[in-house]
């Protein structure tokens, strides 16, 4: 698994991991694989968006008789906290500036929860400002384009159009609220259709005045 994880970390600059279960000593092999995965991603400065059954600090139910894994998981939690910091994200973007490709584990038609949409926002708010600017939104759109279209070519006009639709109050930035208003309770297919794909008007999900996708369209 270590070589497989390093291969993934070398190939992709962003990895989405979904539905990590609560872990215990009975899942020790799964715990070890999870630790190895995080170590591999951390070493390669990969951006990680993860959803789990519990907060990272309590994801592994510690067994006092197994102190080695407990210690290793504490280090993993520390690394996960660092990986969520703006400093790490900025270093990651710099390290992968010329990297190609990304892995989105979410299914194209899987509907994102508000929590997952918030995690997505945080992962692309590289400077930790609490708002997405044009370069950050462009990176997101490139990643989504690769996942949905098979390429990373996104025109300036597409980015500007999407930014204007998401920036509901017109103040020149996309806040976390504006971002989650668009992505929460939507699938990646709906978002890409609304903000990039060329579709017939009667098949295109239409953003409302607040930027939220109208799913009745």
């Amino acid at each position: 698994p270590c070589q497989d994880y390093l291969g993934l970390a070398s190939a992709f600059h962003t990895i989405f991991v979904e539905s990590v279960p609560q872990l215990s000593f009975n899942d020790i092999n799964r715990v070890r694989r999870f630790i190895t995965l995080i170590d591999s991603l951390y070493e390669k400065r990969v951006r990680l968006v993860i959803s789990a059954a519990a907060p990272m600090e309590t994801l592994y139910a510690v067994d006092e008789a197994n102190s080695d894994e407990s210690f290793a998981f504490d280090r993993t939690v520390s690394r996960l906290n660092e990986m969520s910091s703006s400093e790490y994200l900025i270093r990651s973007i710099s390290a992968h500036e010329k990297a190609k490709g990304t892995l989105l584990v979410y299914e194209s038609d899987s509907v994102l929860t508000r929590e997952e949409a918030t995690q997505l926002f945080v992962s692309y708010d590289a400077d930790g400002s609490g708002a997405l600017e044009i370069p950050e939104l462009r990176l997101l759109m490139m990643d989504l384009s690769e996942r949905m279209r098979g390429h990373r070519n996104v025109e300036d006009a597409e980015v500007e159009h999407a930014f204007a639709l998401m920036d509901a109050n017109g103040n020149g930035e996309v806040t976390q609220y504006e971002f989650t208003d668009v992505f929460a309770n939507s699938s990646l297919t709906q978002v890409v259709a609304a903000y990039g794909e060329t579709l017939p008007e009667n098949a295109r999900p239409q953003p409302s005045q607040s930027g939220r996708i109208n799913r009745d369209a």
Side-chain angles (χ1 to χ4, degrees):
C2 181
Q3 292 304 314
D4 292 339
Y5 294 150
L6 286 173
L8 284 173
S10 298
F12 303 109
H13 59 64
T14 305
I15 290 182
F16 285 56
V17 178
E18 186 178 32
S19 303
V20 179
Q22 179 75 61
L23 300 170
S24 70
F25 181 65
N26 293 330
D27 308 301
I28 193 62
N29 289 330
R30 185 180 290 177
V31 170
R32 289 168 179 165
R33 288 196 298 270
F34 183 76
I35 291 171
T36 302
L37 170 64
I38 300 306
D39 285 345
S40 300
L41 301 183
Y42 179 86
E43 290 172 8
K44 295 294 185 178
R45 298 299 186 197
V46 173
R47 297 192 294 280
L48 174 66
V49 179
I50 185 169
S51 64
M56 291 298 109
E57 290 78 6
T58 59
L59 186 62
Y60 175 46
V62 177
D63 188 314
E64 295 298 333
N66 196 48
S67 58
D68 287 346
E69 272 67 29
S70 298
F71 175 81
F73 200 84
D74 285 344
R75 184 194 64 200
T76 296
V77 170
S78 176
R79 288 189 164 186
L80 284 167
N81 287 334
E82 182 181 345
M83 290 168 79
S84 68
S85 69
S86 60
E87 290 81 4
Y88 178 91
L89 295 173
I90 291 171
R91 289 198 302 271
S92 173
I93 290 174
S94 176
H96 294 274
E97 184 176 1
K98 296 183 180 179
K100 295 181 180 180
T102 186
L103 174 64
L104 303 181
V105 175
Y106 293 120
E107 294 293 335
S108 299
D109 294 323
S110 175
V111 174
L112 275 66
T113 65
R114 181 161 290 273
E115 291 73 19
E116 289 168 340
T118 298
Q119 290 176 338
L120 189 63
F121 172 87
V122 170
S123 95
Y124 286 92
D125 180 21
D127 60 3
S129 67
L132 295 189
E133 299 170 351
I134 288 285
E136 295 164 327
L137 182 60
R138 180 187 300 278
L139 179 61
L140 170 60
M141 291 184 67
M142 290 170 64
D143 287 349
L144 287 175
S145 177
E146 182 174 31
R147 174 66 177 87
M148 304 299 299
R149 303 170 176 175
H151 63 78
R152 296 179 63 78
N153 301 323
V154 179
E155 299 292 334
D156 289 346
E158 289 182 272
V159 178
E160 293 166 5
H161 178 64
F163 191 86
L165 289 174
M166 292 184 187
D167 181 18
N169 63 6
N171 69 343
E173 61 183 19
V174 177
T175 65
Q176 179 176 313
Y177 174 81
E178 290 169 331
F179 183 90
T180 55
D181 198 37
V182 169
F183 279 83
N185 304 314
S186 298
S187 69
L188 295 179
T189 299
Q190 287 176 311
V191 172
V192 172
Y195 294 98
E197 291 283 5
T198 301
L199 295 177
E201 286 302 317
N202 60 2
R204 182 191 297 273
Q206 296 295 324
S208 67
Q209 291 182 350
S210 68
R212 178 182 293 279
I213 293 171
N214 182 355
R215 293 162 196 84
D216 296 327

